[in-house]
Structures are given as C-alpha cells and as structure tokens.
Amino acid sequence: MELLKKLLKAGIVAITAAAVTLVVALFPGHRTYIQTAQASTATNFISQYKSDVQKASSKYNLYASVMMGQAALESGWGQSTLTTQANNFFGIKGAYNGQSVSMPTTEYNSNGQLENTTANFKKYPSAYASFADNGATLRNGTSWNTKYYSGTWKENASSYVDAANALTGKYATAPDYGGSIIKIIQTYGIDKLFGEAADSTSTSSSTTSASATSSSSSSSATSSSPVLTSVSYYRGSGDQTVPLAKKYQHYYVYNHVKGASKQEKRYSWKSLGVRSRVNVYLDMRGVKKGTAGNWYRIRFYPNTKAKRFWVYSDALSFSPIYSGTTDGTLVANKRTSGTIYSRVLGSSLLAKKVGKVSSLKQGTKYKVDKTALIHNSKSLGVWYHIASGKTKGWISNVNVLSAPASVAKVDFKGQKAISSAAKANYLYTDFNKAGQFTKHLKLAQVRLTIGSKVTVDKLGYRLSDKSIWYRITCPGSSDKYWVSSKFLS
C-alpha cells in the first residue's frame, strides 16, 4: 500500500478509469482506496472546469453535461499527457492558431492494421479554448457537411442522452461511446449540476447505454416520462422519389422522428439491407418545434403499404429547382395519365396531387404564370404552373401539347467564366417565339475574352434540342446576352 501511495503521489500512476482497472488488479485488497482517489479526481475536475464548460456550451447551444462528460472521458479526468501539456481535452488533431504538439498514437494503416505513429495535436492556450473549440466543431461540422454533428445540438436533441448518443459513430467509432459519456454524467450527477437532469429522462434513443441507465435506477430517470419533441407533419403524394445522399451512411434511420416518441428505435442502413445509394419514396415531412430542419418518412418500395422509416434531410439528395415568372398559355395532352401537383414533383417541401391532366378541357389554353426547371441527374425537367381554370397547380412538360414558350426561362443567380471552348462563338440578345436567335455578336464585339468573369441572372432550356443557355451581363455594362452553357465554366 505504501508503494501504491508513493506511485500516486509521484504521478507515475494516473488516476483514470484504465489506471484504476490496472491498479486494482495489482492490489486487489485496496479497491476502496483507489475508487475514493478516482472520485476525488473527478470531483476536482468537475469543480475546476465547470464555469469554462458552461460558458462554451452556452455559446454553441450544446449540452454542458455532454461536453463535461466527453472531456472527462477523452482526457482521463484531465490526467492525460495531451491535456496536461497542451490543454487538449478532446484529443483533437491539427494546430490551434499555429500551435501544436507531437504525440505518439496508434492508427489504422491502409491495410487496416494498427500501427504506432506520431501525430500533431492542437495546443491550446487555456482549458476554455479547448472547450470552445470542441463546441465550434460540433456546431460547425466538417468541411464536407456542416450539419454532421447536428444531432448534438440542443434544438435537435431532446435530452443530453440523445446528444451523447449522437456522438457514437461520428466523433468516435466505439459502439458504446455515447453510453460511456452518459455513465459518467449520471454517476457524478453532472446533469443535475448544469440543470439538465429533467431532460435525462429521455432514453428512447440510447441503444448503447444500458449500463449507464442501470447505474441510476433509483433516480427520477426511471420514474418519469421522456420529454418528447413536438413535430408538425406535412403530407406528400407518396410517389415522389429522391436518391440517398453521398454521405447517407453517416445518419441513422428511425421508426419515428427522433425524439418524438417513447417507442423510438434507430437502425443502421446495413441492418435494413441498404448498402448503396438507392432511390427512396417520400410521403411525409416533419419539422420539430423550434427547428428549421426537415425529417422525411421514406419507404424502399413503390407499394404504399411497405414499411416506412424516418430520416433527417441530410441523408437525402434533393435536386435543385429554379423558377421564374411566365407570361403565356399551354394546351394539355388529355390522353396522358399525368398528374397535377401542388408543387414541382421533387420539391423538398413535398408535392400533393391536386388533379389529373385528363380532367382538363380538350384544346383549351390555360394561363401559365410560372415555369420551373428541376435539375435531374441526366437532364432538366420542365414544369409549368397553371393559373386559370378550376384546377390550379404544376404540370410536367411531358403532359403538354403546346408550351408557353419555345425556351423555358427561370431565374438563376451565379458567376461564370468564358471557357476556352467559346473561342469566337456568338452571343445572342434573345430568342424569338420559335426559339431562334434574334441577334448575334462575337465575343470581341462585347469585349469578352477567354476567362472573363460574367454574372448570370437567367437559365434557359430550349425545348427543341434540349440545350441549356445562360443569360449573362458583361463586366462594366448593363447589356445582357444569352450564351450556350458549353461556352461557360
């Protein structure tokens, strides 16, 4: 025992969860002493960094208990070498304001094998800087997905339990990562410390924290009902499809909108047999109270009785839709089995069926007030909004005999550059009713050269040859010209 006390005093044995396991194995008769030492270290850690955690978590609207619990887990209650030397409580790599430290670590190589290596980790000027940087990381996400950690945000997570579990598989790959954080929070009453205990009753999304909840079976968490999120629901037609996003595997699938039901369950895509990007059918949209993000009810088969699931919007890849005002008329093809929708089919707001094309009058010219282009994977889809008659709504160009114009024009804002493919090709002032050009000019005539930056305000789709055009404004001029998309980059 004297040897153990000397080791502890000298700092040779760090009081962390891993060290406790090792020391208890070596000195089985002194378990109480070790556990008391660990509790003391935890109490000191919580007391020392409470204000920093409160400040950082409030700044980014995150759960303070989760930030504290994660810092304790990652830093071994502040005893890790990385923490003592660099104020790095979360093991974040890189440099902070140019400052970093090199530390030995183990990582998987290209063959999937663990190997010893060294890496640069951020060095912070203070503990608060580390907590704030962690908050910024969770709030701002990654370079490829700013909402990557959105499951940890207070507006999306109904409790600290949901927020902690949202870190599993994202911040760390360990299957019990969220459960480990929850166990720390509940063991040391960190949720009560920050006034977040009321939300700790929601355990519906905790699939990896059975040990965490059992350790607090005598607390109010087992006797109160979960705090559920209020959701507003909007129905769609059910025949709209959308492909999964490239990063769909970074999101879970749920049987309800996350945080909205006591019977909530979550699934991985692989557990549902999905191993690649496929098209899914949408029939309902949900919006949590106090948030702007959308949730969608999906199914994998056209049969409307197929099992349905809920996913967050970032797991799906909606095509961009551009629209603009139109002055013209159309004649519908009554012989088609087409549908008239409340919105363009493919809209992230979901479209409802409002009528059949066959219900429109034969040969009647219907006034059109809007045109929309939806950018599908291979081409542009054209839609027109009927503004006259009993049935008002959007109709696809494939169900039209006579269109309002030969070129479907919509609003489009962007910057382009004249590409080398343009050479001396023509610019056009506009199109006539037949889709032919009214006047042309060469690049040199308007003082444009290869690489010149131009502003785009219109996108055009010529129906006759399915070609795409942009209306540009020349630098230093208010003159506008149409140019083929092939000649812009």
Side-chain angles (χ1 to χ4, degrees), residues 70-130:
Q70 188 184 14
L73 179 66
E74 292 284 350
S75 70
W77 294 107
Q79 302 297 305
S80 72
T81 303
L82 182 59
T83 302
T84 57
Q85 291 188 7
N87 282 316
N88 191 326
F89 287 77
F90 299 91
I92 300 179
K93 293 180 180 178
Y96 183 84
N97 293 336
Q99 298 298 307
S100 64
V101 292
S102 181
M103 291 283 181
T105 184
T106 55
E107 295 180 351
Y108 287 99
N109 60 22
S110 59
N111 297 322
Q113 297 174 314
L114 275 174
E115 61 181 9
N116 295 323
T117 183
T118 58
N120 289 329
F121 293 84
K122 291 185 177 181
K123 183 177 182 180
Y124 299 96
S126 66
Y128 172 74
S130 179

Side-chain angles (χ1 to χ4, degrees), residues 45 60 134 204 228 259 272 296 298 319 372 397 413 417 422 449 456:
F45 180 89
Y60 296 102
N134 170 259
S204 59
L228 301 178
L272 300 176
Y296 294 94
I298 68 170
S319 298
N397 181 61
K413 292 183 179 181
T449 60
V456 180

Side-chain angles (χ1 to χ4, degrees), residues 215-470:
S215 67
S216 59
S217 59
S218 62
S219 69
S220 60
T222 60
S223 60
S224 302
S225 298
V227 178
L228 301 178
T229 301
S230 175
V231 181
S232 297
Y233 295 96
Y234 306 89
R235 288 188 176 276
S237 66
D239 56 352
Q240 180 172 326
T241 63
V242 64
L244 296 179
K246 292 182 179 179
K247 302 295 183 179
Y248 76 94
Q249 292 178 322
H250 293 283
Y251 299 89
Y252 284 110
V253 184
Y254 295 85
N255 62 334
H256 296 280
V257 174
K258 181 177 173 63
S261 172
K262 296 178 183 179
Q263 286 75 45
E264 178 183 302
K265 293 181 180 179
R266 73 178 184 185
Y267 312 87
S268 67
W269 293 95
K270 288 185 178 180
S271 71
L272 300 176
V274 179
R275 290 175 170 79
S276 61
R277 294 180 66 195
V278 297
N279 283 352
V280 295
Y281 293 83
L282 314 179
D283 69 354
M284 189 176 289
R285 178 172 64 96
V287 181
K288 289 185 180 182
K289 183 178 181 180
T291 71
N294 290 315
W295 286 77
Y296 294 94
R297 190 168 69 177
I298 68 170
R299 64 185 193 279
F300 298 105
Y301 305 98
N303 187 343
T304 56
K305 294 184 179 180
K307 192 170 184 178
R308 294 169 293 189
F309 304 90
W310 286 91
V311 297
Y312 188 59
S313 59
D314 286 358
L316 305 175
S317 179
F318 288 92
S319 298
I321 298 176
Y322 309 101
S323 64
T325 57
T326 301
D327 183 16
T329 60
L330 65 75
V331 175
N333 184 357
K334 282 178 55 66
R335 296 182 179 180
T336 68
S337 59
T339 302
I340 303 172
Y341 293 94
S342 60
R343 292 187 174 89
V344 174
L345 191 63
S347 167
S348 61
L349 296 179
L350 302 190
K352 289 183 179 180
K353 295 179 180 179
V354 295
K356 292 283 189 180
V357 175
S358 58
S359 67
L360 300 178
K361 294 181 180 180
Q362 180 72 34
T364 298
K365 292 184 178 181
Y366 288 89
K367 179 176 175 57
V368 175
D369 62 352
K370 294 179 184 178
T371 296
L373 296 176
I374 179 169
H375 198 290
N376 299 316
S377 58
K378 296 182 179 179
S379 62
L380 286 175
V382 185
W383 289 77
Y384 301 109
H385 186 262
I386 301 174
S388 62
K390 293 182 180 180
T391 303
K392 297 179 175 61
W394 290 91
I395 179 173
S396 171
N397 181 61
V398 300
N399 298 314
V400 170
L401 290 176
S402 173
S406 56
V407 179
K409 300 176 183 178
V410 296
D411 297 330
F412 182 94
K413 292 183 179 181
Q415 297 288 325
K416 298 283 184 179
I418 304 296
S419 72
S420 57
K423 298 180 180 178
N425 284 282
Y426 294 140
L427 304 169
Y428 303 93
T429 54
D430 209 341
F431 303 91
N432 60 23
K433 291 184 178 181
Q436 302 301 316
F437 308 114
T438 55
K439 185 178 181 180
H440 61 259
L441 297 167
K442 292 185 177 182
L443 292 176
Q445 291 178 275
V446 293
R447 297 181 180 179
L448 286 178
T449 60
I450 305 303
S452 294
K453 303 291 184 180
V454 293
T455 300
V456 180
D457 70 346
K458 292 283 185 181
L459 169 63
Y461 183 72
R462 191 159 65 170
L463 304 181
S464 60
D465 59 3
K466 298 182 179 180
S467 58
I468 300 174
W469 297 77
Y470 289 103

Side-chain angles (χ1 to χ4, degrees), residues 22-186:
L22 172 63
V23 177
V24 168
L26 294 174
F27 304 92
H30 303 293
R31 179 184 299 271
T32 302
Y33 179 88
I34 298 302
Q35 291 177 337
T36 301
Q38 183 190 21
S40 177
T41 301
T43 300
N44 292 337
F45 180 89
I46 294 169
S47 176
Q48 182 175 356
Y49 300 113
K50 174 186 175 182
S51 60
D52 285 340
V53 169
Q54 184 70 73
K55 181 180 177 182
S57 60
S58 297
K59 179 178 181 180
Y60 296 102
N61 198 29
L62 302 169
Y63 284 96
S65 57
V66 174
M67 183 177 287
M68 178 70 83
Q70 188 184 14
L73 179 66
E74 292 284 350
S75 70
W77 294 107
Q79 302 297 305
S80 72
T81 303
L82 182 59
T83 302
T84 57
Q85 291 188 7
N87 282 316
N88 191 326
F89 287 77
F90 299 91
I92 300 179
K93 293 180 180 178
Y96 183 84
N97 293 336
Q99 298 298 307
S100 64
V101 292
S102 181
M103 291 283 181
T105 184
T106 55
E107 295 180 351
Y108 287 99
N109 60 22
S110 59
N111 297 322
Q113 297 174 314
L114 275 174
E115 61 181 9
N116 295 323
T117 183
T118 58
N120 289 329
F121 293 84
K122 291 185 177 181
K123 183 177 182 180
Y124 299 96
S126 66
Y128 172 74
S130 179
F131 292 122
D133 193 40
N134 170 259
T137 297
L138 298 185
R139 176 55 63 174
N140 299 325
T142 65
S143 59
W144 44 266
N145 185 355
T146 57
K147 297 181 180 178
Y148 186 64
Y149 297 111
S150 61
T152 66
W153 302 349
K154 272 192 172 182
E155 64 265 34
N156 293 335
S158 60
S159 70
Y160 74 80
V161 172
D162 287 343
N165 279 312
L167 291 169
T168 303
K170 292 196 170 185
Y171 195 97
T173 57
D176 62 343
Y177 189 74
S180 298
I181 295 174
I182 294 167
K183 186 174 183 179
I184 290 173
I185 293 171
Q186 295 180 347

Side-chain angles (χ1 to χ4, degrees), residues 2-16 18-20 22-23 26-27 79-81:
E2 291 303 318
L3 172 61
L4 175 58
K5 290 182 178 179
K6 290 179 179 179
L7 291 172
L8 291 170
K9 186 175 182 180
I12 297 174
V13 177
I15 299 299
T16 64
V20 168
L22 172 63
V23 177
L26 294 174
F27 304 92
Q79 302 297 305
S80 72
T81 303

